[in-house]
Structures are given as structure tokens and as C-alpha cells.
């Protein structure tokens, strides 16, 4: 199993995560995002303000997909709460 994938995702107040037919939906104050889950990767229902991603298969490819799924869902949670922002830093002349 992926080490990154085992880390739970903290859910802020006002964020709802649902999974139906292999599609995870994250709803928050800034909108709604959806993403289709890879095969053999599951999103467990939130417990105590934390969300866990699990993998049914323990091999190299599924481990990579497990970590990727966890990172993408965590970014979706950030997107519906804080939003995304780009910062440009000019260095030099």
C-alpha cells in the first residue's frame, strides 16, 4: 500500500464527500468537483472529519494509483474550500 495513500484527509466544516458508481464528489462553499476513481481504489465514508482512501490490491501499479487518488482528492477538498491561486515571483532584472 502507498505510504502517502494511507494518510487521512482532513475535511473542514462545510465540506461533503460522497462516492457513487465509482465517482467521488466533493461539495463545499466554493463549488463542487467530481472525479472518476481508478479500478480497485475506494473512498471510505468520512469518519470524525477525516477521509480515508483504500486500495483492494497491493501491487506496484495500484500503490501508485492509491497515492495519486489521495493527492487528487485532497486537492479537490482544498479547491472547494480555499480555491486555487497562482503566484508569480520575479527574480532578477
Amino acid at each position: 500500500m502507498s505510504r502517502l495513500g494511507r494518510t487521512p484527509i482532513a475535511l473542514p466544516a462545510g465540506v461533503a464527500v460522497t462516492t457513487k458508481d465509482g465517482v467521488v464528489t466533493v461539495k463545499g462553499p466554493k463549488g463542487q468537483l467530481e472525479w472518476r476513481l481508478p479500478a480497485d481504489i475506494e473512498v471510505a465514508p468520512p469518519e470524525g472529519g477525516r477521509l480515508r482512501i483504500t486500495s483492494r490490491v497491493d501491487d506496484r501499479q495500484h500503490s501508485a494509483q492509491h497515492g495519486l487518488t489521495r493527492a487528487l482528492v485532497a486537492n479537490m477538498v482544498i479547491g472547494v474550500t480555499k480555491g486555487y491561486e497562482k503566484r508569480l515571483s520575479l527574480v532578477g532584472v
Side-chain angles (χ1 to χ4, degrees):
M1 237 160 81
S2 168
R3 283 186 275 165
L4 177 63
R6 282 186 255 162
T7 309
I9 301 169
L11 294 177
V15 175
V17 178
T18 57
T19 305
K20 184 177 180 183
D21 298 329
V23 176
V24 62
T25 304
V26 181
K27 294 180 185 178
K30 293 202 176 217
Q32 172 180 330
L33 294 171
E34 293 181 349
W35 187 63
R36 180 166 296 281
L37 294 170
D40 297 323
I41 305 289
E42 297 176 343
V43 176
E47 289 182 8
R50 298 205 178 268
L51 184 68
R52 290 198 179 270
I53 310 294
T54 57
S55 177
R56 287 184 243 158
V57 181
D58 191 22
D59 66 357
R60 189 176 181 104
Q61 180 180 0
H62 286 90
S63 179
Q65 288 182 345
H66 185 202
L68 173 69
T69 300
R70 191 255 177 222
L72 291 174
V73 172
N75 286 338
M76 290 168 64
V77 170
I78 291 171
V80 298
T81 55
K82 298 177 187 173
Y84 293 102
E85 148 183 325
K86 289 185 180 182
R87 290 184 182 225
L88 179 62
S89 172
L90 297 176
V91 178
V93 181

